[in-house]
Structures are given as structure tokens and as C-alpha cells.
Amino acid sequence: GAVVSQHPSWVICKSGTSVKIECRSLDFQATTMFWYRQFPKQSLMLMATSNEGSKATYEQGVEKDKFLINHASLTLSTLTVTSAHPEDSSFYICSAVPPAHYEQYFGPGTRLTVT
Amino acid sequence: AQSVTQLGSHVSVSEGALVLLRCNYSSSVPPYLFWYVQYPNQGLQLLLKYTTGATLVKGINGFEAEFKKSETSFHLTKPSAHMSDAAEYFCAVTYTGTASKLTFGTGTRLQVTL
């Protein structure tokens, strides 16, 4: 149980285009989802907290207009990287938390490469 | 504010040797502590967690960790390393009231040699 999927697992896009990453909780409902970014050989950096039906809460320094997060249902959150640039290339990981729980369940990650 | 410190960004052990990965935390309230493992280009897999109760926690793949409040530590150990243990390990902390927001350590890369 408690499986989280991400789609796509990897994506290559051209500079200036937008790309959407999906995070789904497959066997549970998630009132809260988190989006992280991970640079090579570094730890996870929390980008934003996504609560179903409300606006995402972004961490300091994360551009909310660039990284659009939508949590439209209890099993799906999306991260859209708008007008992507090479510096947005990174590994993006989501996690999901069931209601009244504290433990995060992580997705397998999405490798984004912007050329 | 809570924080996590992992001493040693890179640890190398021989196969069959003891694995010890260090984690110290700072939290003004009782913490929930986690150890995760990450293999290349993959997400995080939970190894073990401490919330309340028994301070010695056993996890998957033969790993265990002991919560020591007096030392604010939660070190990860395994009696005998296996080649398949080579990976990145992250310690993380949260506490109730934060909507499960995790604070991660910087990670320790474990290398296992023959």
C-alpha cells in the first residue's frame, strides 16, 4: 500500500517551453502533497506544499509563477514548469500524505532536462 | 526551528563490516525521525522511523537506529554491509503540527568495497 507514482519519469524539453509533471497517490487519498527539487549529489529541497482544493504554499525563494502547482483532486497534484530554462534541469520528487497522517510517501521522481 | 546534521558526506566500508551513519537533530519539541535510502535516479525509500515508544528501531534490509534524546542523535547502523547497500542515505525530522513537513539532512553516500 501507499504507492505514489510520477509521470513522466523523464522528460526533455526545449528552452522556453512548459512541461507538466504529475504526481498521483494510487491507493490512498492525499490531502497534502509536497514537491521537492534535487540537484546532483545534493539533498532534497522543498519547493512547495500542496493542499487539495487550495493554493499551494511555496518555500522562500521559489518562484510561484514559474513553478505552478495544482492539487485538483485527492489523488493528483501537478507541477508545471513554465518557460523552462536549462537551469531548471533537475530531479523533481513528489510525496503524498494521507489525512491525519505524518508520514510522507515518495514518488519515484522525474528527471527534467531542458536543452 | 528544526534541523538535521549528517556527519560525513561520504562513508566507505568493506563488505561485511559495520555500517554507521550519523545523524543529529535539533528540535524544540519531540521529533519524529526518519532514515531514507535513495538509489541513483530513484525516489526515496523509507528504511525506518521513530515516533514514540521503543528507542531502538528496526527497519528493512537489516538496518536499525537508536533514538538518543540526551545526545539528540538518531544514528543508523547495520552489522554487516552488503554491496547492495551502496546508496545515498538521508536522515529527516518532523514533528506534529507541521503538516508533516520534513527537514532533511545533507545526505551520506555509502560506498561498499570488496
Side-chain angles (χ1 to χ4, degrees), chain B residues 96-109:
Chain B
T96 57
T98 62
S100 310
K101 197 171 178 178
L102 280 171
T103 299
F104 283 91
T106 51
T108 298
R109 180 166 297 276

Side-chain angles (χ1 to χ4, degrees), chain A residues 16-77:
Chain A
T17 62
S18 296
V19 61
K20 180 184 286 187
I21 302 170
E22 293 185 349
C23 176
R24 292 182 184 273
S25 56
L26 298 184
D27 51 3
F28 66 98
Q29 293 183 330
T31 49
T32 302
M33 290 184 172
F34 297 90
W35 285 96
Y36 296 87
R37 184 174 181 177
Q38 186 179 32
F39 292 104
K41 301 186 187 302
Q42 293 190 27
S43 188
L44 279 71
M45 180 191 77
L46 179 64
M47 300 176 65
T49 303
S50 168
N51 290 298
E52 187 266 339
S54 62
K55 291 184 178 181
T57 302
Y58 291 82
E59 296 298 301
Q60 191 172 7
V62 177
E63 299 176 62
K64 60 181 66 177
D65 293 332
K66 181 166 189 61
F67 298 100
L68 300 179
I69 291 172
N70 183 283
H71 192 161
S73 78
L74 286 171
T75 58
L76 173 64
S77 177

Side-chain angles (χ1 to χ4, degrees), chain A residues 38 43 59 103-104 111, chain B residues 38 41 46 49 100-101 105:
Chain A
Q38 186 179 32
S43 188
E59 296 298 301
E103 183 174 342
Q104 295 184 29
R111 172 76 58 193
Chain B
Q38 185 180 36
N41 294 311
L46 179 67
K49 62 186 176 187
S100 310
K101 197 171 178 178

